[in-house]
Amino acid sequence: MIRSLALVAFATASIAGCRHDPGESERVALALVEAARSPAGIGADLVDADVAEKVRRIQLVRRATLDTYDRGKLLEVLSGEAGPDRQYPPAERPTKQRERASRGLAATAKGACKATRDPRLAADRVQLLVEPLKHVPSEVTAAQQDLAAALHDTEGVRLDCAPGHVAVLLAKGGDGKLRAVDLWELGATSFEVNPNDPTMK
């Protein structure tokens, strides 16, 4: 669970009637909402598919450890062959994941939304993802270290909508652009960029 922390200084933006020019991270977060509400849904240009996949696999491993520490099963999860996406060819999985994320974000972030950059939110989420897991294969630890490197330059944005509160984790790619790598509903079960919820197929 991500804590909601008040910051002394923060930037705000709104989909309708911005009071000032939002920063890049707020603009990207609001663009995600607008895209999710559109017929086309969230496009590939707004998501870093490679990093989002690394995030997804670590999340799946963390969930799997609630039931087992069997090496074979955990490595199968780490390889990506777990969750609803295994029914699709690898080339189709990013599209399916964006479709689910679009449905989840559109259903949660309704009405007018305010975007607020939140460095602590980003730090807490990254820590949750890369904090070493006990009793797991060394391959999992290595994957977490790889993810930590991929998330070294992230930004967090809080979306407060009417209703709905969503957090967005953004990572800067090699081209310098921020793209989403994780989405989750604040105060509720995570739906993420790449959810492992069979009901969201």
Side-chain angles (χ1 to χ4, degrees):
M1 187 72 67
I2 299 296
R3 302 190 304 273
S4 176
L5 299 176
L7 301 179
V8 175
F10 58 90
T12 62
S14 173
I15 284 180
C18 293
R19 285 179 291 182
H20 70 276
D21 183 38
E24 181 186 5
S25 57
E26 291 99 329
R27 289 197 298 270
V28 174
L30 292 172
L32 282 165
V33 175
E34 292 181 341
R37 293 173 178 177
S38 73
I42 297 172
D45 59 318
L46 291 173
V47 177
D48 188 321
D50 290 338
V51 179
E53 178 65 10
K54 293 177 181 180
V55 169
R56 183 183 78 92
R57 294 186 185 191
I58 292 301
Q59 289 172 332
L60 292 179
V61 170
R62 292 183 68 90
R63 290 175 185 147
T65 60
L66 297 175
D67 299 317
T68 183
Y69 283 99
D70 179 83
R71 174 182 173 81
K73 291 181 179 178
L74 291 181
L75 292 182
E76 181 181 19
V77 172
L78 184 64
S79 72
E81 295 304 315
D85 291 331
R86 62 184 175 183
Q87 65 183 303
Y88 306 116
E92 296 180 10
R93 294 175 185 178
T95 299
K96 297 297 183 182
Q97 292 159 6
R98 291 196 307 274
E99 289 174 356
R100 290 197 302 270
S102 295
R103 292 195 297 270
L105 183 56
T108 304
K110 294 182 178 294
C113 292
K114 180 180 72 173
T116 307
R117 185 173 178 272
D118 191 334
R120 180 54 62 91
L121 182 150
D124 286 349
R125 189 64 168 183
V126 172
Q127 181 179 359
L128 176 68
L129 291 167
V130 305
E131 185 176 9
L133 295 168
K134 297 180 179 179
H135 314 301
V136 297
S138 59
E139 290 89 342
V140 172
T141 302
Q144 286 187 288
Q145 294 171 346
D146 181 57
L147 179 59
L151 298 178
H152 77 282
D153 190 13
T154 58
E155 293 192 24
V157 177
R158 178 188 177 101
L159 287 165
D160 292 299
C161 307
H165 305 280
V166 177
V168 184
L169 186 65
L170 303 166
K172 187 170 292 186
D175 59 1
K177 294 182 178 180
L178 287 171
R179 294 180 177 86
V181 296
D182 197 12
L183 297 172
W184 66 100
E185 183 179 359
L186 290 169
T189 302
S190 173
F191 58 80
E192 311 142 4
V193 169
N194 302 290
N196 184 35
D197 184 347
T199 65
M200 298 181 70
K201 293 182 181 178

